[in-house]
Amino acid sequence: MLYKELAEVYDKLEKTSKRLEKTEIIANFLNKIKKQKEEISSGIIYLLRGRIFPDYDERETGISSQLAIKIISKATGISSADVNKKWKSLGDLGKVAEELAGKKRQATLFREKLSVDKVLHNLRGLIEFTGKGTVDRKIGLIAELLASASPLEAKYIVRTLLGDLRIGLGEGVLRDAIVWSCFGKENKEAFEKVQTAYDSANDFAVVFEKARKGLHALESIEIEPGRPVKVMLALKVDSIEEGFEEVGKNADFEFKYDGFRLMINKTKEGRIYLFTRRLENVTKQFPEVIDYVKKNIKGKSFIIDSEAVGYDFKTKKYKPFQEISQRIKRKYDIEKLSKELPVEVNVFDILYYNGKSMIKEPFKKRRELLEKIVRKERFKIKLSESLITDDAKKAEEFYKKAIEEGEEGLMIKKLDAPYKPGARVGYMLKLKPKTKEFDLVIIGAEYGTGKRAGWLSSYSVACVHEGRFLEIGKVSTGLKEKEEEGLSFVEMTRLLKPLIIEEHGRDVKVKPRVVVSVIYQNIQKSPTYNSGYALRFPRIVRLRPDRSVKDIAFLKEVEKEAKKEHR
Ligand code: AMP
């Protein structure tokens, strides 16, 4: 397939903000790509998402705006300084590439037509290079594409490189388009089936391949140890009573540990993999966990859900999440750190056991299986502390105990519920003492002045609604001026700078990647922000490197909180 066809689809998507129109455009396009061979249609699906691999695959092209400027300069023969100037005025390197490619066009009449395959090949090539000469080779690969690209193609190649297509295509639209194309708009059942398949496979190309063959093939997608599964998410409640209302009686109450989610996988070949809730593979980072899993869990193959909590090896004191989060990204001194700051694994659910998916089994049965197969050992691996009851008083006491022991609160679970990967459906609830807090993503920032000059020191934070990020406030408190004192402006600036996609004076727009926990005093309706709400007195309390944009607060949660306040 020619890349031109894909570029035209991007262009159509960009020109409409209407969800149904977008779905129609993609469904029509999917009808076309059904005729392609599987390898090609897979690649096209990834490109539609602005990616070159499945969503869970962490490999990224690693191109910053600065490098993209060099590439455009090399491909067009226009100096980097001039490209930079254009970027400042247009605010989008994709548009810059489009405009400059148009100018260059007259000179190269005989350009080669770009195929999707060629674009994918060169983009994937970016990942293979490391070490000396890497930058020049990367520039070469992309400049080669741009040299043959039409203005429209150039625009989307550059945006794909930067990981920001700006076509407003969320997961939901692609899911619906797959349904429309493979099963027809009216097929209600198919919507859920496609979503369920996606939550298990985490790969729209796999889902599309199966959907093309029919509902039956789609249902054959099973979770499988070694391929990350999306974790089930929790809804917030404010009291034990509200918990009972949601999940019924009896309910399971568990300590809510302040660590990070860890999915433990053992494949039938006996290989062990660890994934975070962002589906990052952290197997290498936690050698001690591999050891516990080998020694303390019985079973040939499994997927087990857990919360890992760090502690100080010497004092045996548990550490709050911030202090252990460094281990998630750590690439060196891993062994040393695993001795100084080891984690204790609190196992709380099982999704797969000895060749069979367990997700449709009721929670109670899954928990009973865990009791049988995990040998508990303090400071290594244990089952989450649990109490099954219908008695609100007993549950209150248990809640008190959790808080006294320094835990965050309670989780409340529905005993007869299945495990729904990726869903926030109320089978699992969280109850924490009242601080009003949301996890939000930073979508923009502002350079400070005076003492804070040179730092990005005020941040626009957003919640999510149907794949769109909607701003709900600006926050500049909570960060330190000195690096030694904790999360600082310097650190945040370092994190955000490579993510900048637009600059207007002191304001910048960034790729939505950095997730922060924000506490606030109350929520007000507000026309200032496109979410329709504003947080009053927001303060950043911590970075959440373990969270992705999929974990941030939904607009409907914000709405729910706002309503509560006005009751
Ligand atoms: P929150 O991070 O506030 O959305 O709360 C949900 C998170 O609590 C889950 O994603 C887990 O990482 C964590 N958690 C801690 N203890 C448990 C537990 N016993 N059961 C389930 N999740 C838990």
Side-chain angles (χ1 to χ4, degrees):
M1 179 182 264
L2 290 180
Y3 185 69
K4 175 170 170 268
E5 291 183 61
L6 184 58
E8 281 164 2
V9 170
Y10 289 143
D11 189 44
K12 281 192 216 151
L13 289 170
E14 191 175 343
K15 288 191 173 128
T16 173
S17 58
K18 296 202 180 86
R19 188 181 164 125
L20 291 181
E21 280 177 19
K22 283 185 194 278
T23 314
E24 188 85 50
I25 294 165
I26 299 186
N28 289 337
F29 184 57
L30 291 179
N31 286 340
K32 253 198 214 166
I33 66 173
K34 274 186 198 158
K35 297 183 194 108
Q36 303 281 334
K37 276 195 280 183
E38 194 169 320
E39 313 88 79
I40 301 186
S41 64
S42 296
I44 298 175
I45 299 258
Y46 300 142
L47 285 173
L48 263 180
R49 299 271 294 148
R51 302 192 47 88
I52 48 177
F53 292 115
D55 288 359
Y56 64 80
D57 196 314
E58 293 146 35
R59 289 172 291 177
E60 290 210 26
T61 51
I63 300 283
S64 62
S65 302
Q66 288 313 314
L67 192 52
I69 289 174
K70 284 199 190 129
I71 293 170
I72 297 172
S73 158
K74 166 134 188 188
T76 56
I78 294 167
S79 74
S80 290
D82 285 344
V83 176
N84 211 345
K85 226 191 263 163
K86 268 251 153 334
W87 181 33
K88 291 260 144 54
S89 74
L90 293 176
D92 168 7
L93 279 171
K95 282 199 184 135
V96 174
E98 181 179 29
E99 205 179 299
L100 298 181
K103 288 203 178 124
K104 173 210 64 168
R105 193 56 189 295
Q106 293 91 6
T108 45
L109 282 174
F110 300 101
R111 57 182 198 91
E112 187 196 334
K113 284 198 170 138
L114 277 178
S115 67
V116 166
D117 223 20
K118 172 75 182 164
V119 173
L120 205 57
H121 178 266
N122 283 27
L123 287 174
R124 285 185 173 156
L126 292 174
I127 288 160
E128 283 151 27
F129 298 137
T130 48
K132 241 182 151 190
T134 301
V135 172
D136 284 340
R137 277 146 82 189
K138 285 187 172 176
I139 294 178
L141 272 179
I142 304 305
E144 184 195 356
L145 293 181
L146 292 185
S148 310
S150 70
L152 195 68
E153 289 170 332
K155 169 160 127 186
Y156 291 110
I157 290 171
V158 167
R159 287 190 182 169
T160 305
L161 269 183
L162 293 168
D164 185 26
L165 269 182
R166 303 178 184 211
I167 55 172
L169 172 61
E171 268 177 23
V173 174
L174 188 50
R175 176 202 57 207
D176 292 355
I178 291 178
V179 176
W180 290 19
S181 155
C182 299
F183 307 106
K185 288 181 193 178
E186 305 304 326
N187 194 334
K188 294 261 165 0
E189 192 194 355
F191 287 93
E192 235 197 280
K193 296 242 155 97
V194 170
Q195 182 65 46
T196 305
Y198 178 64
D199 288 336
S200 297
N202 281 305
D203 186 339
F204 271 117
V206 171
V207 173
F208 180 60
E209 282 325 311
K210 296 285 182 193
R212 221 157 118 151
K213 298 188 182 118
L215 266 187
H216 205 66
L218 194 65
E219 278 167 345
S220 71
I221 296 182
E222 285 272 8
I223 57 170
E224 198 180 292
R227 197 175 62 195
V229 187
K230 280 195 198 146
V231 301
M232 182 159 74
L233 300 166
L235 282 173
K236 198 162 148 188
V237 288
D238 287 329
S239 67
I240 301 271
E241 287 309 329
E242 200 185 336
F244 276 130
E245 271 164 37
E246 292 278 338
V247 301
K249 286 179 178 179
N250 297 334
D252 170 59
F253 294 85
E254 292 179 21
F255 280 12
K256 182 179 192 306
Y257 303 97
D258 183 17
F260 61 95
R261 194 88 173 248
L262 199 60
M263 275 282 194
I264 304 169
N265 287 237
K266 183 173 173 187
T267 66
K268 60 179 188 299
E269 293 81 20
R271 273 197 290 276
I272 295 166
Y273 295 99
L274 307 174
F275 295 104
T276 64
R277 68 190 271 166
R278 295 180 61 170
L279 314 183
E280 295 159 306
N281 184 337
V282 290
T283 312
K284 287 206 187 82
Q285 284 89 319
F286 295 94
E288 77 274 30
V289 177
I290 306 292
D291 207 38
Y292 320 150
V293 173
K294 280 190 185 147
K295 291 189 183 135
N296 296 45
I297 309 184
K298 270 196 285 197
K300 288 199 189 69
S301 59
F302 46 75
I303 303 177
I304 285 178
D305 201 352
S306 72
E307 182 86 355
V309 184
Y311 63 94
D312 184 318
F313 182 73
K314 280 198 201 113
T315 61
K316 294 283 187 290
K317 279 222 167 81
Y318 290 109
K319 295 274 182 189
F321 169 74
Q322 291 101 302
E323 287 183 48
I324 196 76
S325 67
Q326 47 170 319
R327 288 200 56 194
I328 294 177
K329 296 249 178 287
R330 196 66 168 235
K331 299 256 154 57
Y332 55 91
D333 278 349
I334 285 176
E335 283 291 334
K336 184 167 165 257
L337 209 60
S338 75
K339 301 223 159 65
E340 289 165 9
L341 255 186
V343 295
E344 179 179 61
V345 179
N346 296 277
V347 165
F348 57 77
D349 214 331
I350 180 158
L351 288 74
Y352 186 98
Y353 192 62
N354 283 355
K356 274 212 303 269
S357 166
M358 301 283 298
I359 59 176
K360 296 202 175 114
E361 301 288 339
F363 170 70
K364 189 156 181 275
K365 209 165 149 197
R366 301 199 304 271
R367 174 90 195 183
E368 281 161 9
L369 175 62
L370 278 180
E371 297 274 359
K372 281 194 209 129
I373 62 171
V374 180
R375 187 165 60 83
K376 299 158 209 157
E377 209 174 335
R378 190 131 195 251
F379 291 118
K380 290 190 172 172
I381 192 161
K382 59 186 181 47
L383 259 68
S384 55
E385 194 91 17
S386 135
L387 170 77
I388 294 182
T389 184
D390 61 353
D391 183 338
K393 249 201 191 134
K394 286 197 182 131
E396 284 294 348
E397 274 161 32
F398 190 65
Y399 185 25
K400 231 171 100 193
K401 186 169 156 216
I403 301 297
E404 275 164 16
E405 293 191 16
E407 309 303 354
E408 270 194 308
L410 290 185
M411 301 298 293
I412 309 174
K413 299 180 184 178
K414 189 172 165 68
L415 291 180
D416 56 1
Y419 191 104
K420 274 246 174 207
R424 212 192 282 257
V425 280
Y427 296 159
M428 181 166 112
L429 312 168
K430 54 186 175 189
L431 172 62
K432 289 199 267 187
K434 267 222 163 99
T435 51
K436 295 178 183 174
E437 177 179 327
F438 283 123
D439 285 344
L440 301 168
V441 68
I442 298 181
I443 56 170
E446 196 184 324
Y447 280 104
T449 51
K451 253 202 327 197
R452 296 183 182 175
W455 295 335
L456 289 166
S457 61
S458 165
Y459 315 99
S460 305
V461 286
C463 59
V464 66
H465 180 62
E466 293 183 344
R468 284 180 62 218
F469 299 108
L470 302 177
E471 192 173 0
I472 62 170
K474 286 202 171 40
V475 46
S476 52
T477 46
L479 277 73
K480 308 283 190 284
E481 300 207 331
K482 291 194 182 120
E483 257 189 289
E484 319 74 81
E485 291 172 354
L487 178 59
S488 61
F489 293 111
V490 181
E491 184 179 352
M492 192 62 104
T493 306
R494 215 181 288 133
L495 284 173
L496 293 176
K497 262 201 168 163
L499 302 174
I500 294 178
I501 44 184
E502 266 180 45
E503 285 199 56
H504 300 284
R506 289 199 292 124
D507 289 321
V508 302
K509 250 173 116 175
V510 296
K511 283 187 216 170
R513 293 282 189 281
V514 176
V515 177
V516 285
S517 296
V518 177
I519 56 172
Y520 60 92
Q521 206 168 76
N522 58 325
I523 306 175
Q524 284 183 329
K525 282 213 162 158
S526 160
T528 316
Y529 302 116
N530 59 359
S531 67
Y533 293 93
L535 298 182
R536 292 194 64 220
F537 305 114
R539 161 186 285 268
I540 293 180
V541 282
R542 54 164 110 163
L543 271 182
R544 296 293 329 205
D546 60 323
R547 305 272 157 109
S548 77
V549 292
K550 293 187 186 136
D551 299 316
I552 65 172
F554 294 171
L555 179 64
K556 64 173 192 253
E557 291 183 273
V558 175
E559 277 165 354
K560 194 173 149 203
E561 286 301 314
K563 271 199 200 118
K564 271 188 199 163
E565 285 176 12
H566 293 105
R567 262 206 305 245

